[in-house]
Amino acid sequence: MNQTIGRVSAFQLPEMIGKIKLIDIRETYEYERGFVPTAVNIPANTLLNNVKSYMNPEEEYHIICQSGGRSGQASRILAEMGYKVVDVAGGTGNYPGPLHR
């Protein structure tokens, strides 16, 4: 059961913080350098190899990486697996607000 992939710009995130489930799929060392508030770090390989441990197929998740490449790829895979995902285009690198550390 394929799901369609939603897409939002990183510039739209500030108004969404606290209202969405945001998964940062960068490696832990990248995440620790700065992340979008409320983002939970689950590196891409960890998430994709254990998706049932981290995601509920009934809920929607926003997927973010540094620039949008990895999140786009992961979002396609997750949608093919039946998960409701929204790819954050532009990634953390284009987030207009302050990053947490």
Side-chain angles (χ1 to χ4, degrees), residues 29-47:
Y29 72 90
E30 295 174 283
Y31 176 83
E32 289 173 349
R33 291 180 187 157
F35 57 91
V36 174
T38 75
V40 175
N41 181 226
I42 309 169
N45 285 337
T46 301
L47 177 62

Side-chain angles (χ1 to χ4, degrees), residues 13-14 17 23-24 26 36 62 84 97:
L13 280 184
I17 298 300
I23 300 176
D24 187 325
R26 296 177 299 156
V36 174
H62 285 63
K84 300 173 189 172

Side-chain angles (χ1 to χ4, degrees), residues 18-85:
K19 301 173 190 167
I20 60 171
K21 293 184 183 304
L22 182 61
I23 300 176
D24 187 325
I25 63 164
R26 296 177 299 156
E27 295 299 319
T28 302
Y29 72 90
E30 295 174 283
Y31 176 83
E32 289 173 349
R33 291 180 187 157
F35 57 91
V36 174
T38 75
V40 175
N41 181 226
I42 309 169
N45 285 337
T46 301
L47 177 62
L48 296 174
N49 290 326
N50 303 287
V51 68
K52 291 180 182 179
S53 298
Y54 298 105
M55 295 176 69
N56 177 341
E58 302 301 316
E59 296 186 46
E60 181 178 81
Y61 299 85
H62 285 63
I63 309 298
I64 192 169
C65 65
Q66 182 61 35
S67 63
R70 286 176 282 180
S71 65
Q73 184 178 24
S75 293
R76 283 189 295 279
I77 294 168
L78 292 165
E80 288 172 5
M81 296 170 79
Y83 290 89
K84 300 173 189 172
V85 292

Side-chain angles (χ1 to χ4, degrees), residues 6-13 16 20 62 86-91:
R7 180 160 282 129
V8 298
S9 165
F11 293 103
Q12 295 171 275
L13 280 184
M16 304 168 96
I20 60 171
H62 285 63
V86 177
D87 178 30
V88 180

